[in-house]
Amino acid sequence: MSLATIPLIGLKADNFRHPLDLEATNTIKQLPGIDLLVRQLLGPLGEQFFYMENIASSVLVGENQLPHLYKILLDACQTVDLEPPQLYVRQHPVPNAYTFAMRGKQPFIVVHTSLIELLSLEEIQAVLGHELGHLKCEHGVYLTLGNLIVLAAGQISTWGGIIAQSIQNQILEWVRCAEFTCDRAALLATQNPKVVASVLMKLAGGSPSISAQLNVDAFLAQARAYKEFSNTELGEVLRQLQTAQLTHPLPVLRAREIDRWSSSQKYQDILQNLTRSDYNSQSKGGWRNW
């Protein structure tokens, strides 16, 4: 399967940012004490700790280390018009990938070995595109804060239990909204909605032994059926109960949303307007500084 995509020269975060992401970001910035919480949990010592812990326990991908993964990272970066971060592979039985963007430091992406075993190369490129979406939209600080709050639930007492719970709920809501934006980045990186849907399908119910037997069209039909049910009054209540403490939206909702956006005029406009030849002169060697 070809990994070739058309570079989107001059792509901006606002070209593809999901409206729920924009709304949730504006809300979280207004939370009282959020800046203090960020400084406490993501200060210089915390930044150094996370970087050292990762570099000591993972494999750095490069020209001489897993070069096939390095190539699709560079391809995805070129497609979404972003300079490449570091990429690490980490031994872990739970399929996952995440991004850490330290203030003023080199951002990096970590991909678990079990995720690599589960996905095709094109699907891995979609995952990298998703993580690059976090960097493109400058999600890093709040994204890391969300992960830390999940790990430290019940231990944050600065503002008291009720306020801490309120902050946690709003940050988790922001993280879920940000994921919709980054799924769009995954689509832009691959320019194939079925590849993105396939990643979500495999994360929902895949394994290396049955991946080849899974049917993306059937999963999308399942996603549409769930969406129709969740649009009812009872379905909306149940959906909120399902997702309240999750860091990601439900896979079927994400698949339905990316299926819908891939058919939108906005997506078509991005492909048409940012791949015109008159944009090529804006790019220096395929990269742009932001």
Side-chain angles (χ1 to χ4, degrees), residues 42 98-101 131 134 138-149 171 174-175 178-179 182 247-248:
L42 297 176
Y98 55 89
T99 298
F100 194 83
E131 299 305 322
H134 285 305
E138 299 181 345
H139 285 160
V141 171
Y142 292 133
L143 183 68
T144 302
L145 180 59
N147 291 334
L148 288 176
I149 285 181
I171 289 175
W174 173 84
V175 171
E179 292 299 307
C182 294
T247 58
H248 290 65

mmCIF file with all atom_site columns, all heavy atoms in Angstrom, residues 42 98-101 131 134 138-149 171 174-175 178-179 182 247-248:
data_model
loop_
_atom_site.group_PDB
_atom_site.id
_atom_site.type_symbol
_atom_site.label_atom_id
_atom_site.label_alt_id
_atom_site.label_comp_id
_atom_site.label_asym_id
_atom_site.label_entity_id
_atom_site.label_seq_id
_atom_site.pdbx_PDB_ins_code
_atom_site.Cartn_x
_atom_site.Cartn_y
_atom_site.Cartn_z
_atom_site.occupancy
_atom_site.B_iso_or_equiv
_atom_site.pdbx_formal_charge
_atom_site.auth_seq_id
_atom_site.auth_comp_id
_atom_site.auth_asym_id
_atom_site.auth_atom_id
_atom_site.pdbx_PDB_model_num
ATOM 1   N N   . LEU A 1 42  ? 4.700   21.043 35.809 1.00 0.00 ? 42  LEU A N   1
ATOM 2   C CA  . LEU A 1 42  ? 5.546   21.003 34.613 1.00 0.00 ? 42  LEU A CA  1
ATOM 3   C C   . LEU A 1 42  ? 6.673   22.013 34.701 1.00 0.00 ? 42  LEU A C   1
ATOM 4   O O   . LEU A 1 42  ? 7.039   22.635 33.713 1.00 0.00 ? 42  LEU A O   1
ATOM 5   C CB  . LEU A 1 42  ? 4.689   21.270 33.365 1.00 0.00 ? 42  LEU A CB  1
ATOM 6   C CG  . LEU A 1 42  ? 3.602   20.249 33.070 1.00 0.00 ? 42  LEU A CG  1
ATOM 7   C CD1 . LEU A 1 42  ? 2.788   20.682 31.876 1.00 0.00 ? 42  LEU A CD1 1
ATOM 8   C CD2 . LEU A 1 42  ? 4.206   18.878 32.834 1.00 0.00 ? 42  LEU A CD2 1
ATOM 9   N N   . TYR A 1 98  ? 1.968   8.591  22.441 1.00 0.00 ? 98  TYR A N   1
ATOM 10  C CA  . TYR A 1 98  ? 1.710   9.862  23.105 1.00 0.00 ? 98  TYR A CA  1
ATOM 11  C C   . TYR A 1 98  ? 2.813   10.867 22.779 1.00 0.00 ? 98  TYR A C   1
ATOM 12  O O   . TYR A 1 98  ? 3.893   10.497 22.294 1.00 0.00 ? 98  TYR A O   1
ATOM 13  C CB  . TYR A 1 98  ? 1.579   9.687  24.615 1.00 0.00 ? 98  TYR A CB  1
ATOM 14  C CG  . TYR A 1 98  ? 2.743   9.008  25.305 1.00 0.00 ? 98  TYR A CG  1
ATOM 15  C CD1 . TYR A 1 98  ? 3.823   9.744  25.781 1.00 0.00 ? 98  TYR A CD1 1
ATOM 16  C CD2 . TYR A 1 98  ? 2.755   7.625  25.481 1.00 0.00 ? 98  TYR A CD2 1
ATOM 17  C CE1 . TYR A 1 98  ? 4.887   9.117  26.417 1.00 0.00 ? 98  TYR A CE1 1
ATOM 18  C CE2 . TYR A 1 98  ? 3.802   6.995  26.116 1.00 0.00 ? 98  TYR A CE2 1
ATOM 19  C CZ  . TYR A 1 98  ? 4.873   7.748  26.582 1.00 0.00 ? 98  TYR A CZ  1
ATOM 20  O OH  . TYR A 1 98  ? 5.917   7.125  27.204 1.00 0.00 ? 98  TYR A OH  1
ATOM 21  N N   . THR A 1 99  ? 2.507   12.110 23.052 1.00 0.00 ? 99  THR A N   1
ATOM 22  C CA  . THR A 1 99  ? 3.397   13.224 22.738 1.00 0.00 ? 99  THR A CA  1
ATOM 23  C C   . THR A 1 99  ? 3.724   13.976 24.009 1.00 0.00 ? 99  THR A C   1
ATOM 24  O O   . THR A 1 99  ? 2.861   14.183 24.860 1.00 0.00 ? 99  THR A O   1
ATOM 25  C CB  . THR A 1 99  ? 2.727   14.186 21.743 1.00 0.00 ? 99  THR A CB  1
ATOM 26  O OG1 . THR A 1 99  ? 2.466   13.492 20.529 1.00 0.00 ? 99  THR A OG1 1
ATOM 27  C CG2 . THR A 1 99  ? 3.619   15.381 21.436 1.00 0.00 ? 99  THR A CG2 1
ATOM 28  N N   . PHE A 1 100 ? 4.971   14.391 24.125 1.00 0.00 ? 100 PHE A N   1
ATOM 29  C CA  . PHE A 1 100 ? 5.384   15.245 25.240 1.00 0.00 ? 100 PHE A CA  1
ATOM 30  C C   . PHE A 1 100 ? 6.093   16.456 24.672 1.00 0.00 ? 100 PHE A C   1
ATOM 31  O O   . PHE A 1 100 ? 7.101   16.316 23.981 1.00 0.00 ? 100 PHE A O   1
ATOM 32  C CB  . PHE A 1 100 ? 6.295   14.498 26.200 1.00 0.00 ? 100 PHE A CB  1
ATOM 33  C CG  . PHE A 1 100 ? 6.487   15.196 27.523 1.00 0.00 ? 100 PHE A CG  1
ATOM 34  C CD1 . PHE A 1 100 ? 5.550   15.054 28.534 1.00 0.00 ? 100 PHE A CD1 1
ATOM 35  C CD2 . PHE A 1 100 ? 7.583   16.004 27.751 1.00 0.00 ? 100 PHE A CD2 1
ATOM 36  C CE1 . PHE A 1 100 ? 5.704   15.697 29.746 1.00 0.00 ? 100 PHE A CE1 1
ATOM 37  C CE2 . PHE A 1 100 ? 7.739   16.648 28.959 1.00 0.00 ? 100 PHE A CE2 1
ATOM 38  C CZ  . PHE A 1 100 ? 6.812   16.503 29.971 1.00 0.00 ? 100 PHE A CZ  1
ATOM 39  N N   . ALA A 1 101 ? 5.555   17.634 24.931 1.00 0.00 ? 101 ALA A N   1
ATOM 40  C CA  . ALA A 1 101 ? 6.138   18.880 24.419 1.00 0.00 ? 101 ALA A CA  1
ATOM 41  C C   . ALA A 1 101 ? 6.518   19.745 25.603 1.00 0.00 ? 101 ALA A C   1
ATOM 42  O O   . ALA A 1 101 ? 5.664   20.352 26.241 1.00 0.00 ? 101 ALA A O   1
ATOM 43  C CB  . ALA A 1 101 ? 5.148   19.606 23.514 1.00 0.00 ? 101 ALA A CB  1
ATOM 44  N N   . GLU A 1 131 ? -0.309  12.441 16.396 1.00 0.00 ? 131 GLU A N   1
ATOM 45  C CA  . GLU A 1 131 ? 0.559   13.026 17.423 1.00 0.00 ? 131 GLU A CA  1
ATOM 46  C C   . GLU A 1 131 ? 1.148   14.354 16.955 1.00 0.00 ? 131 GLU A C   1
ATOM 47  O O   . GLU A 1 131 ? 1.305   15.287 17.756 1.00 0.00 ? 131 GLU A O   1
ATOM 48  C CB  . GLU A 1 131 ? 1.673   12.037 17.793 1.00 0.00 ? 131 GLU A CB  1
ATOM 49  C CG  . GLU A 1 131 ? 1.187   10.725 18.376 1.00 0.00 ? 131 GLU A CG  1
ATOM 50  C CD  . GLU A 1 131 ? 0.290   10.916 19.596 1.00 0.00 ? 131 GLU A CD  1
ATOM 51  O OE1 . GLU A 1 131 ? 0.572   11.834 20.394 1.00 0.00 ? 131 GLU A OE1 1
ATOM 52  O OE2 . GLU A 1 131 ? -0.692  10.165 19.742 1.00 0.00 ? 131 GLU A OE2 1
ATOM 53  N N   . HIS A 1 134 ? -1.046  17.274 17.743 1.00 0.00 ? 134 HIS A N   1
ATOM 54  C CA  . HIS A 1 134 ? -0.902  17.880 19.066 1.00 0.00 ? 134 HIS A CA  1
ATOM 55  C C   . HIS A 1 134 ? 0.167   18.972 19.051 1.00 0.00 ? 134 HIS A C   1
ATOM 56  O O   . HIS A 1 134 ? -0.001  20.029 19.667 1.00 0.00 ? 134 HIS A O   1
ATOM 57  C CB  . HIS A 1 134 ? -0.528  16.817 20.094 1.00 0.00 ? 134 HIS A CB  1
ATOM 58  C CG  . HIS A 1 134 ? -1.658  15.915 20.494 1.00 0.00 ? 134 HIS A CG  1
ATOM 59  N ND1 . HIS A 1 134 ? -2.851  16.386 20.984 1.00 0.00 ? 134 HIS A ND1 1
ATOM 60  C CD2 . HIS A 1 134 ? -1.765  14.552 20.480 1.00 0.00 ? 134 HIS A CD2 1
ATOM 61  C CE1 . HIS A 1 134 ? -3.653  15.363 21.261 1.00 0.00 ? 134 HIS A CE1 1
ATOM 62  N NE2 . HIS A 1 134 ? -3.021  14.250 20.957 1.00 0.00 ? 134 HIS A NE2 1
ATOM 63  N N   . GLU A 1 138 ? -0.199  23.043 19.341 1.00 0.00 ? 138 GLU A N   1
ATOM 64  C CA  . GLU A 1 138 ? 0.390   23.449 20.618 1.00 0.00 ? 138 GLU A CA  1
ATOM 65  C C   . GLU A 1 138 ? -0.439  22.948 21.800 1.00 0.00 ? 138 GLU A C   1
ATOM 66  O O   . GLU A 1 138 ? -0.706  23.668 22.760 1.00 0.00 ? 138 GLU A O   1
ATOM 67  C CB  . GLU A 1 138 ? 0.567   24.976 20.667 1.00 0.00 ? 138 GLU A CB  1
ATOM 68  C CG  . GLU A 1 138 ? 1.486   25.484 19.576 1.00 0.00 ? 138 GLU A CG  1
ATOM 69  C CD  . GLU A 1 138 ? 1.699   26.994 19.628 1.00 0.00 ? 138 GLU A CD  1
ATOM 70  O OE1 . GLU A 1 138 ? 0.924   27.679 20.324 1.00 0.00 ? 138 GLU A OE1 1
ATOM 71  O OE2 . GLU A 1 138 ? 2.636   27.487 18.979 1.00 0.00 ? 138 GLU A OE2 1
ATOM 72  N N   . HIS A 1 139 ? -0.812  21.682 21.737 1.00 0.00 ? 139 HIS A N   1
ATOM 73  C CA  . HIS A 1 139 ? -1.574  21.049 22.803 1.00 0.00 ? 139 HIS A CA  1
ATOM 74  C C   . HIS A 1 139 ? -0.684  20.593 23.963 1.00 0.00 ? 139 HIS A C   1
ATOM 75  O O   . HIS A 1 139 ? -1.200  20.214 25.013 1.00 0.00 ? 139 HIS A O   1
ATOM 76  C CB  . HIS A 1 139 ? -2.293  19.800 22.269 1.00 0.00 ? 139 HIS A CB  1
ATOM 77  C CG  . HIS A 1 139 ? -3.483  20.102 21.428 1.00 0.00 ? 139 HIS A CG  1
ATOM 78  N ND1 . HIS A 1 139 ? -4.009  19.178 20.541 1.00 0.00 ? 139 HIS A ND1 1
ATOM 79  C CD2 . HIS A 1 139 ? -4.277  21.186 21.332 1.00 0.00 ? 139 HIS A CD2 1
ATOM 80  C CE1 . HIS A 1 139 ? -5.057  19.696 19.940 1.00 0.00 ? 139 HIS A CE1 1
ATOM 81  N NE2 . HIS A 1 139 ? -5.238  20.915 20.410 1.00 0.00 ? 139 HIS A NE2 1
ATOM 82  N N   . GLY A 1 140 ? 0.624   20.590 23.767 1.00 0.00 ? 140 GLY A N   1
ATOM 83  C CA  . GLY A 1 140 ? 1.533   19.870 24.637 1.00 0.00 ? 140 GLY A CA  1
ATOM 84  C C   . GLY A 1 140 ? 1.342   20.070 26.119 1.00 0.00 ? 140 GLY A C   1
ATOM 85  O O   . GLY A 1 140 ? 1.247   19.110 26.883 1.00 0.00 ? 140 GLY A O   1
ATOM 86  N N   . VAL A 1 141 ? 1.316   21.323 26.589 1.00 0.00 ? 141 VAL A N   1
ATOM 87  C CA  . VAL A 1 141 ? 1.274   21.574 28.031 1.00 0.00 ? 141 VAL A CA  1
ATOM 88  C C   . VAL A 1 141 ? -0.004  21.028 28.651 1.00 0.00 ? 141 VAL A C   1
ATOM 89  O O   . VAL A 1 141 ? 0.028   20.290 29.642 1.00 0.00 ? 141 VAL A O   1
ATOM 90  C CB  . VAL A 1 141 ? 1.410   23.087 28.318 1.00 0.00 ? 141 VAL A CB  1
ATOM 91  C CG1 . VAL A 1 141 ? 1.135   23.372 29.785 1.00 0.00 ? 141 VAL A CG1 1
ATOM 92  C CG2 . VAL A 1 141 ? 2.814   23.558 27.952 1.00 0.00 ? 141 VAL A CG2 1
ATOM 93  N N   . TYR A 1 142 ? -1.171  21.350 28.061 1.00 0.00 ? 142 TYR A N   1
ATOM 94  C CA  . TYR A 1 142 ? -2.432  20.894 28.635 1.00 0.00 ? 142 TYR A CA  1
ATOM 95  C C   . TYR A 1 142 ? -2.598  19.388 28.473 1.00 0.00 ? 142 TYR A C   1
ATOM 96  O O   . TYR A 1 142 ? -3.199  18.731 29.320 1.00 0.00 ? 142 TYR A O   1
ATOM 97  C CB  . TYR A 1 142 ? -3.610  21.621 27.988 1.00 0.00 ? 142 TYR A CB  1
ATOM 98  C CG  . TYR A 1 142 ? -3.667  23.095 28.330 1.00 0.00 ? 142 TYR A CG  1
ATOM 99  C CD1 . TYR A 1 142 ? -3.864  24.056 27.351 1.00 0.00 ? 142 TYR A CD1 1
ATOM 100 C CD2 . TYR A 1 142 ? -3.516  23.529 29.648 1.00 0.00 ? 142 TYR A CD2 1
ATOM 101 C CE1 . TYR A 1 142 ? -3.909  25.406 27.667 1.00 0.00 ? 142 TYR A CE1 1
ATOM 102 C CE2 . TYR A 1 142 ? -3.561  24.875 29.973 1.00 0.00 ? 142 TYR A CE2 1
ATOM 103 C CZ  . TYR A 1 142 ? -3.761  25.814 28.984 1.00 0.00 ? 142 TYR A CZ  1
ATOM 104 O OH  . TYR A 1 142 ? -3.801  27.139 29.296 1.00 0.00 ? 142 TYR A OH  1
ATOM 105 N N   . LEU A 1 143 ? -2.066  18.845 27.386 1.00 0.00 ? 143 LEU A N   1
ATOM 106 C CA  . LEU A 1 143 ? -2.156  17.401 27.180 1.00 0.00 ? 143 LEU A CA  1
ATOM 107 C C   . LEU A 1 143 ? -1.382  16.662 28.263 1.00 0.00 ? 143 LEU A C   1
ATOM 108 O O   . LEU A 1 143 ? -1.880  15.700 28.868 1.00 0.00 ? 143 LEU A O   1
ATOM 109 C CB  . LEU A 1 143 ? -1.611  17.046 25.793 1.00 0.00 ? 143 LEU A CB  1
ATOM 110 C CG  . LEU A 1 143 ? -1.705  15.583 25.389 1.00 0.00 ? 143 LEU A CG  1
ATOM 111 C CD1 . LEU A 1 143 ? -3.153  15.178 25.191 1.00 0.00 ? 143 LEU A CD1 1
ATOM 112 C CD2 . LEU A 1 143 ? -0.906  15.336 24.105 1.00 0.00 ? 143 LEU A CD2 1
ATOM 113 N N   . THR A 1 144 ? -0.164  17.108 28.535 1.00 0.00 ? 144 THR A N   1
ATOM 114 C CA  . THR A 1 144 ? 0.630   16.484 29.577 1.00 0.00 ? 144 THR A CA  1
ATOM 115 C C   . THR A 1 144 ? -0.002  16.687 30.942 1.00 0.00 ? 144 THR A C   1
ATOM 116 O O   . THR A 1 144 ? -0.020  15.789 31.777 1.00 0.00 ? 144 THR A O   1
ATOM 117 C CB  . THR A 1 144 ? 2.054   17.075 29.574 1.00 0.00 ? 144 THR A CB  1
ATOM 118 O OG1 . THR A 1 144 ? 2.634   16.869 28.284 1.00 0.00 ? 144 THR A OG1 1
ATOM 119 C CG2 . THR A 1 144 ? 2.927   16.410 30.618 1.00 0.00 ? 144 THR A CG2 1
ATOM 120 N N   . LEU A 1 145 ? -0.562  17.869 31.159 1.00 0.00 ? 145 LEU A N   1
ATOM 121 C CA  . LEU A 1 145 ? -1.251  18.138 32.415 1.00 0.00 ? 145 LEU A CA  1
ATOM 122 C C   . LEU A 1 145 ? -2.418  17.176 32.600 1.00 0.00 ? 145 LEU A C   1
ATOM 123 O O   . LEU A 1 145 ? -2.639  16.651 33.694 1.00 0.00 ? 145 LEU A O   1
ATOM 124 C CB  . LEU A 1 145 ? -1.747  19.585 32.430 1.00 0.00 ? 145 LEU A CB  1
ATOM 125 C CG  . LEU A 1 145 ? -2.508  20.052 33.674 1.00 0.00 ? 145 LEU A CG  1
ATOM 126 C CD1 . LEU A 1 145 ? -1.643  19.892 34.921 1.00 0.00 ? 145 LEU A CD1 1
ATOM 127 C CD2 . LEU A 1 145 ? -2.965  21.486 33.507 1.00 0.00 ? 145 LEU A CD2 1
ATOM 128 N N   . GLY A 1 146 ? -3.167  16.920 31.540 1.00 0.00 ? 146 GLY A N   1
ATOM 129 C CA  . GLY A 1 146 ? -4.280  15.984 31.621 1.00 0.00 ? 146 GLY A CA  1
ATOM 130 C C   . GLY A 1 146 ? -3.817  14.597 32.004 1.00 0.00 ? 146 GLY A C   1
ATOM 131 O O   . GLY A 1 146 ? -4.414  13.931 32.858 1.00 0.00 ? 146 GLY A O   1
ATOM 132 N N   . ASN A 1 147 ? -2.721  14.144 31.395 1.00 0.00 ? 147 ASN A N   1
ATOM 133 C CA  . ASN A 1 147 ? -2.193  12.820 31.721 1.00 0.00 ? 147 ASN A CA  1
ATOM 134 C C   . ASN A 1 147 ? -1.739  12.751 33.179 1.00 0.00 ? 147 ASN A C   1
ATOM 135 O O   . ASN A 1 147 ? -1.957  11.753 33.873 1.00 0.00 ? 147 ASN A O   1
ATOM 136 C CB  . ASN A 1 147 ? -1.033  12.483 30.793 1.00 0.00 ? 147 ASN A CB  1
ATOM 137 C CG  . ASN A 1 147 ? -1.487  12.257 29.367 1.00 0.00 ? 147 ASN A CG  1
ATOM 138 O OD1 . ASN A 1 147 ? -2.629  11.875 29.133 1.00 0.00 ? 147 ASN A OD1 1
ATOM 139 N ND2 . ASN A 1 147 ? -0.621  12.502 28.408 1.00 0.00 ? 147 ASN A ND2 1
ATOM 140 N N   . LEU A 1 148 ? -1.092  13.819 33.651 1.00 0.00 ? 148 LEU A N   1
ATOM 141 C CA  . LEU A 1 148 ? -0.618  13.834 35.028 1.00 0.00 ? 148 LEU A CA  1
ATOM 142 C C   . LEU A 1 148 ? -1.771  13.843 36.024 1.00 0.00 ? 148 LEU A C   1
ATOM 143 O O   . LEU A 1 148 ? -1.708  13.197 37.072 1.00 0.00 ? 148 LEU A O   1
ATOM 144 C CB  . LEU A 1 148 ? 0.271   15.059 35.260 1.00 0.00 ? 148 LEU A CB  1
ATOM 145 C CG  . LEU A 1 148 ? 1.651   15.021 34.602 1.00 0.00 ? 148 LEU A CG  1
ATOM 146 C CD1 . LEU A 1 148 ? 2.375   16.336 34.834 1.00 0.00 ? 148 LEU A CD1 1
ATOM 147 C CD2 . LEU A 1 148 ? 2.471   13.866 35.122 1.00 0.00 ? 148 LEU A CD2 1
ATOM 148 N N   . ILE A 1 149 ? -2.826  14.569 35.701 1.00 0.00 ? 149 ILE A N   1
ATOM 149 C CA  . ILE A 1 149 ? -3.969  14.634 36.610 1.00 0.00 ? 149 ILE A CA  1
ATOM 150 C C   . ILE A 1 149 ? -4.652  13.267 36.706 1.00 0.00 ? 149 ILE A C   1
ATOM 151 O O   . ILE A 1 149 ? -5.111  12.853 37.766 1.00 0.00 ? 149 ILE A O   1
ATOM 152 C CB  . ILE A 1 149 ? -4.953  15.721 36.167 1.00 0.00 ? 149 ILE A CB  1
ATOM 153 C CG1 . ILE A 1 149 ? -4.371  17.087 36.530 1.00 0.00 ? 149 ILE A CG1 1
ATOM 154 C CG2 . ILE A 1 149 ? -6.320  15.545 36.808 1.00 0.00 ? 149 ILE A CG2 1
ATOM 155 C CD1 . ILE A 1 149 ? -5.236  18.259 36.185 1.00 0.00 ? 149 ILE A CD1 1
ATOM 156 N N   . ILE A 1 171 ? -10.407 19.398 32.339 1.00 0.00 ? 171 ILE A N   1
ATOM 157 C CA  . ILE A 1 171 ? -9.207  19.076 31.567 1.00 0.00 ? 171 ILE A CA  1
ATOM 158 C C   . ILE A 1 171 ? -9.422  17.807 30.753 1.00 0.00 ? 171 ILE A C   1
ATOM 159 O O   . ILE A 1 171 ? -9.009  17.717 29.588 1.00 0.00 ? 171 ILE A O   1
ATOM 160 C CB  . ILE A 1 171 ? -7.995  18.948 32.497 1.00 0.00 ? 171 ILE A CB  1
ATOM 161 C CG1 . ILE A 1 171 ? -7.614  20.343 33.032 1.00 0.00 ? 171 ILE A CG1 1
ATOM 162 C CG2 . ILE A 1 171 ? -6.799  18.335 31.754 1.00 0.00 ? 171 ILE A CG2 1
ATOM 163 C CD1 . ILE A 1 171 ? -6.509  20.330 34.044 1.00 0.00 ? 171 ILE A CD1 1
ATOM 164 N N   . TRP A 1 174 ? -11.361 18.701 27.804 1.00 0.00 ? 174 TRP A N   1
ATOM 165 C CA  . TRP A 1 174 ? -10.500 19.339 26.808 1.00 0.00 ? 174 TRP A CA  1
ATOM 166 C C   . TRP A 1 174 ? -9.697  18.295 26.036 1.00 0.00 ? 174 TRP A C   1
ATOM 167 O O   . TRP A 1 174 ? -9.577  18.368 24.807 1.00 0.00 ? 174 TRP A O   1
ATOM 168 C CB  . TRP A 1 174 ? -9.540  20.333 27.470 1.00 0.00 ? 174 TRP A CB  1
ATOM 169 C CG  . TRP A 1 174 ? -8.557  20.859 26.470 1.00 0.00 ? 174 TRP A CG  1
ATOM 170 C CD1 . TRP A 1 174 ? -8.734  21.902 25.603 1.00 0.00 ? 174 TRP A CD1 1
ATOM 171 C CD2 . TRP A 1 174 ? -7.265  20.321 26.176 1.00 0.00 ? 174 TRP A CD2 1
ATOM 172 N NE1 . TRP A 1 174 ? -7.634  22.049 24.799 1.00 0.00 ? 174 TRP A NE1 1
ATOM 173 C CE2 . TRP A 1 174 ? -6.715  21.087 25.127 1.00 0.00 ? 174 TRP A CE2 1
ATOM 174 C CE3 . TRP A 1 174 ? -6.519  19.264 26.689 1.00 0.00 ? 174 TRP A CE3 1
ATOM 175 C CZ2 . TRP A 1 174 ? -5.456  20.835 24.590 1.00 0.00 ? 174 TRP A CZ2 1
ATOM 176 C CZ3 . TRP A 1 174 ? -5.262  19.010 26.156 1.00 0.00 ? 174 TRP A CZ3 1
ATOM 177 C CH2 . TRP A 1 174 ? -4.745  19.793 25.125 1.00 0.00 ? 174 TRP A CH2 1
ATOM 178 N N   . VAL A 1 175 ? -9.122  17.325 26.759 1.00 0.00 ? 175 VAL A N   1
ATOM 179 C CA  . VAL A 1 175 ? -8.310  16.300 26.097 1.00 0.00 ? 175 VAL A CA  1
ATOM 180 C C   . VAL A 1 175 ? -9.142  15.548 25.061 1.00 0.00 ? 175 VAL A C   1
ATOM 181 O O   . VAL A 1 175 ? -8.681  15.294 23.939 1.00 0.00 ? 175 VAL A O   1
ATOM 182 C CB  . VAL A 1 175 ? -7.716  15.318 27.136 1.00 0.00 ? 175 VAL A CB  1
ATOM 183 C CG1 . VAL A 1 175 ? -7.053  14.138 26.432 1.00 0.00 ? 175 VAL A CG1 1
ATOM 184 C CG2 . VAL A 1 175 ? -6.706  16.028 28.023 1.00 0.00 ? 175 VAL A CG2 1
ATOM 185 N N   . ALA A 1 178 ? -9.623  17.715 22.055 1.00 0.00 ? 178 ALA A N   1
ATOM 186 C CA  . ALA A 1 178 ? -8.377  17.848 21.298 1.00 0.00 ? 178 ALA A CA  1
ATOM 187 C C   . ALA A 1 178 ? -8.127  16.620 20.424 1.00 0.00 ? 178 ALA A C   1
ATOM 188 O O   . ALA A 1 178 ? -7.529  16.724 19.338 1.00 0.00 ? 178 ALA A O   1
ATOM 189 C CB  . ALA A 1 178 ? -7.206  18.063 22.261 1.00 0.00 ? 178 ALA A CB  1
ATOM 190 N N   . GLU A 1 179 ? -8.576  15.452 20.873 1.00 0.00 ? 179 GLU A N   1
ATOM 191 C CA  . GLU A 1 179 ? -8.382  14.236 20.085 1.00 0.00 ? 179 GLU A CA  1
ATOM 192 C C   . GLU A 1 179 ? -9.110  14.309 18.744 1.00 0.00 ? 179 GLU A C   1
ATOM 193 O O   . GLU A 1 179 ? -8.627  13.779 17.734 1.00 0.00 ? 179 GLU A O   1
ATOM 194 C CB  . GLU A 1 179 ? -8.856  13.015 20.880 1.00 0.00 ? 179 GLU A CB  1
ATOM 195 C CG  . GLU A 1 179 ? -8.008  12.694 22.097 1.00 0.00 ? 179 GLU A CG  1
ATOM 196 C CD  . GLU A 1 179 ? -6.576  12.372 21.718 1.00 0.00 ? 179 GLU A CD  1
ATOM 197 O OE1 . GLU A 1 179 ? -6.360  11.503 20.861 1.00 0.00 ? 179 GLU A OE1 1
ATOM 198 O OE2 . GLU A 1 179 ? -5.668  13.015 22.275 1.00 0.00 ? 179 GLU A OE2 1
ATOM 199 N N   . CYS A 1 182 ? -6.887  16.108 16.395 1.00 0.00 ? 182 CYS A N   1
ATOM 200 C CA  . CYS A 1 182 ? -5.708  15.348 15.987 1.00 0.00 ? 182 CYS A CA  1
ATOM 201 C C   . CYS A 1 182 ? -6.057  14.172 15.084 1.00 0.00 ? 182 CYS A C   1
ATOM 202 O O   . CYS A 1 182 ? -5.216  13.732 14.290 1.00 0.00 ? 182 CYS A O   1
ATOM 203 C CB  . CYS A 1 182 ? -4.923  14.912 17.214 1.00 0.00 ? 182 CYS A CB  1
ATOM 204 S SG  . CYS A 1 182 ? -4.225  16.324 18.085 1.00 0.00 ? 182 CYS A SG  1
ATOM 205 N N   . THR A 1 247 ? -9.911  9.641  28.709 1.00 0.00 ? 247 THR A N   1
ATOM 206 C CA  . THR A 1 247 ? -9.017  10.631 28.113 1.00 0.00 ? 247 THR A CA  1
ATOM 207 C C   . THR A 1 247 ? -9.220  10.741 26.608 1.00 0.00 ? 247 THR A C   1
ATOM 208 O O   . THR A 1 247 ? -8.715  11.682 25.992 1.00 0.00 ? 247 THR A O   1
ATOM 209 C CB  . THR A 1 247 ? -7.552  10.260 28.382 1.00 0.00 ? 247 THR A CB  1
ATOM 210 O OG1 . THR A 1 247 ? -7.297  8.945  27.855 1.00 0.00 ? 247 THR A OG1 1
ATOM 211 C CG2 . THR A 1 247 ? -7.250  10.275 29.874 1.00 0.00 ? 247 THR A CG2 1
ATOM 212 N N   . HIS A 1 248 ? -9.943  9.793  26.008 1.00 0.00 ? 248 HIS A N   1
ATOM 213 C CA  . HIS A 1 248 ? -10.194 9.816  24.572 1.00 0.00 ? 248 HIS A CA  1
ATOM 214 C C   . HIS A 1 248 ? -11.692 9.605  24.319 1.00 0.00 ? 248 HIS A C   1
ATOM 215 O O   . HIS A 1 248 ? -12.360 8.895  25.077 1.00 0.00 ? 248 HIS A O   1
ATOM 216 C CB  . HIS A 1 248 ? -9.421  8.698  23.852 1.00 0.00 ? 248 HIS A CB  1
ATOM 217 C CG  . HIS A 1 248 ? -7.941  8.914  23.820 1.00 0.00 ? 248 HIS A CG  1
ATOM 218 N ND1 . HIS A 1 248 ? -7.168  8.924  24.955 1.00 0.00 ? 248 HIS A ND1 1
ATOM 219 C CD2 . HIS A 1 248 ? -7.093  9.137  22.779 1.00 0.00 ? 248 HIS A CD2 1
ATOM 220 C CE1 . HIS A 1 248 ? -5.903  9.134  24.616 1.00 0.00 ? 248 HIS A CE1 1
ATOM 221 N NE2 . HIS A 1 248 ? -5.841  9.268  23.311 1.00 0.00 ? 248 HIS A NE2 1
#
